């Protein structure tokens, strides 16, 4: 896309994780999702391999969790021209008048000797929340880096075979702690 170092949609971490889960490409996920929303999609490509991929966009089924996660995207790609992009640690031209003051780059580091899934907490009413899968750290010292905003919360769940999705850790993003924040994810289950 013009003005971006990389395509902000095709390089979106959430979409890439959904595509990986289904063994397909991000464009296939988007075509599948859009048609389920009642949108007529007219993909075009001069490459035969892309045409075949487009045709096979319906060879898999998005789960309700996948659909909810895609629906939760805010439509604002990171790294607009003249703004600082935190995407993948890439800092591009800073114009402080256009930088969102609530934006924070968060780095989660797995301090557990087991796989851990990262979930964004979507608030639903006064006491309800939905957990949207954002990524996974499969081993000790793995990292997940995300663009986030002040007030966002994340939970971390044990994704090992014996963990059964047990809640391990919870963090809140606070812009006053800096524009780049690092969280060591440990097992705080007894303290939550």
């Amino acid at each position: 896309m013009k003005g971006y170092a990389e395509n902000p949609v095709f390089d979106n971490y959430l979409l890439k994780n959904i595509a990986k889960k289904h063994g397909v490409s991000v464009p296939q996920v988007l075509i599948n999702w859009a048609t389920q929303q009642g949108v007529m999609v007219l993909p075009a490509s001069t490459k035969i391999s892309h045409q075949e991929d487009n045709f096979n966009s319906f060879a898999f089924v998005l789960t309700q969790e996948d659909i909810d996660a895609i629906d939760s995207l805010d439509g604002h790609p990171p790294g607009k021209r003249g703004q600082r992009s935190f995407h993948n640690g890439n800092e591009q031209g800073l114009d402080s008048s256009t930088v969102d003051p609530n934006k924070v780059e968060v780095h989660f580091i797995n301090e557990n000797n087991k796989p851990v899934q990262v979930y964004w907490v979507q608030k639903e009413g006064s006491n309800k929340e939905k957990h949207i899968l954002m990524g996974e750290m499969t081993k000790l010292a793995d990292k997940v880096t995300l663009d986030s905003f002040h007030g966002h919360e994340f939970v971390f769940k044990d994704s090992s075979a014996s963990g059964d999705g047990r809640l391990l850790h919870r963090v809140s993003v606070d812009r006053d702690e800096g524009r780049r924040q690092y969280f060591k994810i440990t097992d705080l289950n007894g303290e939550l």
Side-chain angles (χ1 to χ4, degrees):
M1 292 180 75
K2 193 171 184 174
Y4 295 91
E6 58 209 18
N7 186 309
V9 175
F10 294 166
D11 204 47
N12 180 282
Y13 53 86
L14 180 111
L15 296 173
K16 287 168 97 174
N17 284 336
I18 293 171
K20 181 179 177 184
K21 179 173 85 171
H22 292 285
V24 298
S25 68
V26 171
Q28 287 175 297
V29 167
L30 294 171
I31 291 168
N32 188 309
W33 170 81
T35 56
Q36 287 189 36
Q37 305 305 308
V39 175
M40 184 191 320
V41 179
L42 300 171
S45 178
T46 58
K47 295 183 180 178
I48 297 294
S49 63
H50 289 176
Q51 292 171 359
E52 291 171 347
D53 285 347
N54 292 342
F55 183 73
N56 290 320
S57 294
F58 309 101
F60 65 99
V61 177
L62 292 171
T63 66
Q64 188 60 48
E65 182 180 66
D66 296 334
I67 293 167
D68 291 344
I70 296 168
D71 287 347
S72 76
L73 294 173
D74 67 4
H76 294 97
K80 287 184 180 175
R81 193 180 295 197
Q83 290 186 331
R84 184 179 197 170
S85 171
F86 291 112
H87 188 65
N88 295 330
N90 179 21
E91 297 182 11
Q92 301 168 349
L94 177 62
D95 176 355
S96 60
S97 67
T98 60
V99 174
D100 186 331
N102 292 312
K103 190 172 185 178
V104 177
E105 178 185 293
V106 292
H107 300 261
F108 304 121
I109 303 145
N110 188 7
E111 297 267 314
N112 297 279
N113 205 6
K114 57 188 152 203
V116 174
Q117 290 180 322
V118 180
Y119 292 85
W120 170 63
V121 177
Q122 181 180 17
K123 300 289 184 181
E124 296 182 336
S126 58
N127 293 325
K128 288 187 173 184
E129 59 186 39
K130 184 187 287 187
H131 297 169
I132 308 293
L133 181 64
M134 302 303 288
E136 183 169 20
M137 300 175 285
T138 58
K139 60 186 182 303
L140 183 66
D142 267 2
K143 297 175 186 171
V144 168
T145 301
L146 303 172
D147 290 335
S148 189
F149 292 88
H150 176 74
H152 279 183
E153 292 184 29
F154 294 88
V155 294
F156 304 85
K157 297 180 183 181
D158 183 342
S159 60
S160 66
S162 61
D164 199 28
R166 183 173 61 90
L167 186 64
L168 300 173
H169 203 111
R170 185 179 194 104
V171 300
S172 294
V173 177
D174 181 351
R175 69 173 168 251
D176 295 334
E177 297 295 322
R179 304 219 10 109
R180 182 173 286 139
Q181 299 176 21
Y182 296 84
F183 297 93
K184 293 181 178 179
I185 306 308
T186 58
D187 188 345
L188 298 177
N189 190 41
E191 301 173 32
L192 295 175

